[in-house]
Amino acid sequence: MNIILLGPPGAGKGTQARILVEERGMVQLSTGDMLREARSSGTEMGKRVAEVMDRGELVTDEIVIGLIREKLETAEAPGGFIFDGFPRTLAQADALGALLEEEGQKLDAVIEMQVDDEALVQRITARSTCATCGEVYNDITKPIPADGKCAKCGGTEFARRADDNEESLRTRLFAYYKQTAPLIGYYYCKGLLRPVNAMGEIEEVATEIRGILDGLA
Ligand code: AP5
Ligand code: ZN
């Protein structure tokens, strides 16, 4: 089963993707994570995209489609793929459809994570991530355990993202409404859209997504 998690920055796409990976053995393909990896390893592409990402703008379609193509051609995913933060433009959506077809695969559902804009600022500015395993925390809704150790891996270093400030978030949100939100209509017309109320607690949202995926299986 291949699914897309679609939603604005801070909707909880990464958080839910990690739950699905653990529970269903699916493979998470996050273009945001891939781009951050490229920049921290100092590749030419990483250097080129760093400023764009920090401003909160979208990286070119060519770069992200290239990253996804490479993964789809090489990664083994018997449980299917979770596309997290991809596609983000209509061109990316068309490209994904073509790539999956080439691989003899299809898209099963697009989970649209609906959140009020006001909640996003609070979620993003309070976020931190375990530097060792990538587990996502939130100062308010999912605090780092009191002993200062990651609940998943015991790591003690936590990072905040360079684009997790109010100014970049405004640009990211604008990019979402201008370039990504049209995908809601695109996938509705394909009969794949499954809206989820992502304002609930993390476990409540996970339960709603489980229900949708179980209904498809
Ligand atoms: P990317 O890394 O994809 O960031 P994003 O879309 O802005 O999404 P986030 O990772 O910020 O949020 P999320 O929805 O995963 O939320 P999370 O689970 O962490 O992209 C970064 C940049 O890379 C882009 O701006 C762009 O420059 C570039 N890029 C990436 N993909 C691209 C593409 N395809 N094309 C072009 N450019 C691309 O949760 C957020 C916080 O809320 C956490 O603290 C979490 O603990 C908390 N939380 C989660 N769920 C809940 C809940 N239900 N209740 C309360 N708190 C919650
Ligand atoms: Zn960890």
Side-chain angles (χ1 to χ4, degrees):
M1 181 183 299
N2 298 310
I3 65 164
I4 292 173
L5 295 180
L6 180 67
K13 304 180 295 291
T15 299
Q16 296 300 327
R18 291 177 68 86
I19 293 174
L20 292 171
V21 167
E22 239 171 62
E23 292 183 355
R24 294 178 182 248
M26 297 176 82
V27 171
Q28 175 188 11
L29 294 184
S30 157
T31 40
D33 286 349
M34 291 175 207
L35 291 166
R36 278 184 288 280
E37 205 177 296
R39 60 185 285 185
S40 66
S41 58
T43 62
E44 265 316 303
M45 186 264 278
K47 285 182 206 156
R48 263 190 290 145
V49 302
E51 276 183 40
V52 177
M53 290 178 78
D54 288 352
R55 280 201 302 271
E57 292 166 8
L58 292 190
V59 169
T60 63
D61 288 337
E62 193 194 350
I63 288 179
V64 285
I65 291 167
L67 288 170
I68 289 287
R69 175 182 290 117
E70 198 183 312
K71 292 284 179 190
L72 284 181
E73 285 171 358
T74 53
E76 293 288 323
F81 290 107
I82 306 161
F83 298 96
D84 161 11
F86 178 91
R88 260 177 154 94
T89 62
L90 292 166
Q92 291 179 22
D94 282 342
L96 177 62
L99 286 170
L100 285 172
E101 204 176 313
E102 274 170 35
E103 297 295 317
Q105 298 202 47
K106 68 175 176 56
L107 204 53
D108 294 284
V110 177
I111 310 288
E112 183 210 347
M113 303 188 59
Q114 300 179 330
V115 196
D116 298 345
D117 291 341
E118 305 82 72
L120 300 174
V121 180
Q122 185 250 42
R123 286 192 187 180
I124 290 282
T125 51
R127 169 167 60 185
S128 62
T129 307
C130 171
T132 312
C133 76
E135 185 68 4
V136 184
Y137 291 95
N138 187 286
D139 300 340
I140 299 155
T141 59
K142 189 183 165 186
I144 294 163
D147 62 2
K149 291 185 181 161
C150 171
K152 286 279 145 78
C153 76
T156 52
E157 277 186 47
F158 300 88
R160 292 201 191 260
R161 272 168 46 179
D163 59 347
D164 276 355
N165 56 73
E166 275 198 62
E167 199 189 334
S168 296
L169 176 63
R170 261 197 301 277
T171 310
R172 283 154 70 193
L173 205 51
F174 186 68
Y176 175 77
Y177 283 118
K178 191 175 169 191
Q179 292 164 280
T180 309
L183 299 186
I184 295 170
Y186 176 101
Y187 285 118
Y188 171 79
C189 290
K190 288 180 181 283
L192 291 170
L193 197 70
R194 301 286 182 275
V196 161
N197 173 14
M199 283 299 288
E201 288 183 12
I202 292 171
E203 190 45 40
E204 287 169 350
V205 180
T207 302
E208 205 175 325
I209 295 176
R210 279 183 204 110
I212 291 170
L213 300 193
D214 289 345
L216 294 171

Short mmCIF file of all heavy atoms in Angstrom, two decimals, residues 162-185:
data_model
loop_
_atom_site.label_atom_id
_atom_site.label_comp_id
_atom_site.label_asym_id
_atom_site.label_seq_id
_atom_site.Cartn_x
_atom_site.Cartn_y
_atom_site.Cartn_z
N ALA A 162 16.49 24.92 11.50
CA ALA A 162 16.77 26.33 11.18
C ALA A 162 15.53 27.04 10.64
O ALA A 162 15.40 28.26 10.75
CB ALA A 162 17.89 26.40 10.15
N ASP A 163 14.60 26.28 10.04
CA ASP A 163 13.42 26.94 9.45
C ASP A 163 12.22 26.93 10.42
O ASP A 163 11.12 27.32 10.05
CB ASP A 163 13.03 26.27 8.12
CG ASP A 163 12.72 24.79 8.26
OD1 ASP A 163 13.04 24.19 9.31
OD2 ASP A 163 12.16 24.21 7.31
N ASP A 164 12.45 26.51 11.66
CA ASP A 164 11.35 26.50 12.63
C ASP A 164 11.26 27.80 13.42
O ASP A 164 11.36 27.84 14.64
CB ASP A 164 11.49 25.31 13.60
CG ASP A 164 10.91 24.03 13.00
OD1 ASP A 164 10.33 24.10 11.89
OD2 ASP A 164 11.03 22.98 13.64
N ASN A 165 11.09 28.90 12.70
CA ASN A 165 10.86 30.18 13.36
C ASN A 165 9.64 30.82 12.69
O ASN A 165 9.25 30.40 11.59
CB ASN A 165 12.09 31.08 13.24
CG ASN A 165 12.48 31.27 11.79
OD1 ASN A 165 11.82 31.99 11.04
ND2 ASN A 165 13.55 30.61 11.36
N GLU A 166 9.06 31.80 13.34
CA GLU A 166 7.79 32.34 12.84
C GLU A 166 7.88 32.90 11.42
O GLU A 166 6.98 32.72 10.62
CB GLU A 166 7.25 33.41 13.80
CG GLU A 166 6.46 32.77 14.94
CD GLU A 166 5.55 33.77 15.65
OE1 GLU A 166 4.65 34.33 15.00
OE2 GLU A 166 5.78 33.98 16.85
N GLU A 167 9.03 33.54 11.11
CA GLU A 167 9.16 34.17 9.80
C GLU A 167 9.19 33.11 8.68
O GLU A 167 8.45 33.20 7.70
CB GLU A 167 10.43 35.03 9.77
CG GLU A 167 10.39 36.04 8.65
CD GLU A 167 11.72 36.75 8.50
OE1 GLU A 167 12.46 36.83 9.49
OE2 GLU A 167 12.00 37.19 7.38
N SER A 168 10.06 32.09 8.84
CA SER A 168 10.11 31.04 7.82
C SER A 168 8.79 30.28 7.75
O SER A 168 8.36 29.87 6.67
CB SER A 168 11.22 30.03 8.13
OG SER A 168 12.46 30.65 8.08
N LEU A 169 8.17 30.12 8.91
CA LEU A 169 6.90 29.38 8.92
C LEU A 169 5.85 30.11 8.07
O LEU A 169 5.10 29.48 7.34
CB LEU A 169 6.38 29.17 10.34
CG LEU A 169 5.00 28.50 10.39
CD1 LEU A 169 5.06 27.08 9.81
CD2 LEU A 169 4.46 28.45 11.80
N ARG A 170 5.84 31.44 8.15
CA ARG A 170 4.88 32.21 7.34
C ARG A 170 5.12 31.94 5.85
O ARG A 170 4.19 31.72 5.09
CB ARG A 170 5.01 33.71 7.63
CG ARG A 170 3.95 34.22 8.61
CD ARG A 170 3.84 35.74 8.56
NE ARG A 170 5.12 36.39 8.87
CZ ARG A 170 5.55 36.61 10.11
NH1 ARG A 170 4.83 36.24 11.15
NH2 ARG A 170 6.71 37.20 10.30
N THR A 171 6.39 31.92 5.44
CA THR A 171 6.72 31.65 4.03
C THR A 171 6.32 30.21 3.68
O THR A 171 5.79 29.94 2.60
CB THR A 171 8.24 31.86 3.79
OG1 THR A 171 8.60 33.12 4.31
CG2 THR A 171 8.57 31.79 2.31
N ARG A 172 6.59 29.27 4.59
CA ARG A 172 6.25 27.87 4.32
C ARG A 172 4.74 27.69 4.16
O ARG A 172 4.26 26.94 3.32
CB ARG A 172 6.76 26.96 5.45
CG ARG A 172 8.26 26.71 5.37
CD ARG A 172 8.87 26.39 6.71
NE ARG A 172 8.49 25.09 7.25
CZ ARG A 172 8.71 24.73 8.50
NH1 ARG A 172 9.30 25.55 9.35
NH2 ARG A 172 8.35 23.54 8.92
N LEU A 173 4.00 28.40 5.01
CA LEU A 173 2.54 28.30 4.95
C LEU A 173 2.01 28.91 3.65
O LEU A 173 1.10 28.37 3.02
CB LEU A 173 1.94 29.03 6.17
CG LEU A 173 0.58 28.59 6.65
CD1 LEU A 173 0.51 27.09 6.86
CD2 LEU A 173 0.23 29.31 7.97
N PHE A 174 2.63 30.02 3.24
CA PHE A 174 2.23 30.66 1.99
C PHE A 174 2.50 29.71 0.82
O PHE A 174 1.66 29.53 -0.06
CB PHE A 174 2.99 31.99 1.83
CG PHE A 174 2.54 32.79 0.64
CD1 PHE A 174 1.27 33.36 0.60
CD2 PHE A 174 3.39 32.97 -0.44
CE1 PHE A 174 0.86 34.09 -0.50
CE2 PHE A 174 2.98 33.71 -1.54
CZ PHE A 174 1.72 34.27 -1.58
N ALA A 175 3.69 29.10 0.84
CA ALA A 175 4.04 28.14 -0.22
C ALA A 175 3.04 26.99 -0.22
O ALA A 175 2.64 26.48 -1.27
CB ALA A 175 5.46 27.61 -0.01
N TYR A 176 2.61 26.57 0.98
CA TYR A 176 1.65 25.47 1.06
C TYR A 176 0.34 25.86 0.37
O TYR A 176 -0.16 25.12 -0.49
CB TYR A 176 1.38 25.07 2.52
CG TYR A 176 0.31 24.02 2.61
CD1 TYR A 176 0.59 22.69 2.31
CD2 TYR A 176 -1.01 24.36 2.92
CE1 TYR A 176 -0.40 21.72 2.32
CE2 TYR A 176 -2.01 23.40 2.93
CZ TYR A 176 -1.70 22.09 2.63
OH TYR A 176 -2.70 21.14 2.63
N TYR A 177 -0.20 27.01 0.74
CA TYR A 177 -1.50 27.40 0.16
C TYR A 177 -1.40 27.68 -1.34
O TYR A 177 -2.30 27.34 -2.10
CB TYR A 177 -2.09 28.59 0.91
CG TYR A 177 -2.67 28.15 2.23
CD1 TYR A 177 -2.17 28.63 3.44
CD2 TYR A 177 -3.69 27.20 2.27
CE1 TYR A 177 -2.69 28.19 4.65
CE2 TYR A 177 -4.21 26.75 3.48
CZ TYR A 177 -3.70 27.25 4.66
OH TYR A 177 -4.21 26.79 5.84
N LYS A 178 -0.27 28.29 -1.76
CA LYS A 178 -0.14 28.66 -3.17
C LYS A 178 0.17 27.46 -4.06
O LYS A 178 -0.39 27.30 -5.13
CB LYS A 178 0.98 29.71 -3.29
CG LYS A 178 1.04 30.37 -4.64
CD LYS A 178 2.08 31.46 -4.64
CE LYS A 178 2.32 31.94 -6.07
NZ LYS A 178 3.48 32.80 -6.16
N GLN A 179 1.11 26.60 -3.60
CA GLN A 179 1.61 25.56 -4.50
C GLN A 179 1.14 24.14 -4.16
O GLN A 179 1.04 23.30 -5.04
CB GLN A 179 3.15 25.60 -4.50
CG GLN A 179 3.67 26.86 -5.17
CD GLN A 179 5.13 27.11 -4.86
OE1 GLN A 179 5.47 27.61 -3.80
NE2 GLN A 179 6.01 26.74 -5.77
N THR A 180 0.86 23.89 -2.88
CA THR A 180 0.55 22.50 -2.49
C THR A 180 -0.95 22.24 -2.32
O THR A 180 -1.44 21.18 -2.70
CB THR A 180 1.30 22.14 -1.18
OG1 THR A 180 2.68 22.46 -1.35
CG2 THR A 180 1.18 20.67 -0.86
N ALA A 181 -1.68 23.23 -1.77
CA ALA A 181 -3.11 23.00 -1.53
C ALA A 181 -3.90 22.60 -2.79
O ALA A 181 -4.87 21.84 -2.68
CB ALA A 181 -3.73 24.22 -0.85
N PRO A 182 -3.49 23.07 -4.00
CA PRO A 182 -4.22 22.59 -5.20
C PRO A 182 -4.22 21.07 -5.35
O PRO A 182 -5.08 20.50 -6.04
CB PRO A 182 -3.46 23.26 -6.36
CG PRO A 182 -2.90 24.52 -5.76
CD PRO A 182 -2.52 24.13 -4.34
N LEU A 183 -3.29 20.39 -4.67
CA LEU A 183 -3.26 18.93 -4.76
C LEU A 183 -4.48 18.28 -4.10
O LEU A 183 -4.82 17.14 -4.39
CB LEU A 183 -1.99 18.36 -4.11
CG LEU A 183 -0.65 18.79 -4.69
CD1 LEU A 183 0.48 18.04 -4.02
CD2 LEU A 183 -0.62 18.52 -6.18
N ILE A 184 -5.12 19.04 -3.20
CA ILE A 184 -6.31 18.49 -2.54
C ILE A 184 -7.39 18.20 -3.60
O ILE A 184 -7.96 17.11 -3.65
CB ILE A 184 -6.82 19.46 -1.45
CG1 ILE A 184 -5.76 19.58 -0.34
CG2 ILE A 184 -8.16 19.00 -0.88
CD1 ILE A 184 -6.04 20.69 0.67
N GLY A 185 -7.62 19.18 -4.46
CA GLY A 185 -8.61 18.99 -5.54
C GLY A 185 -8.15 17.94 -6.54
O GLY A 185 -8.95 17.14 -7.03
#
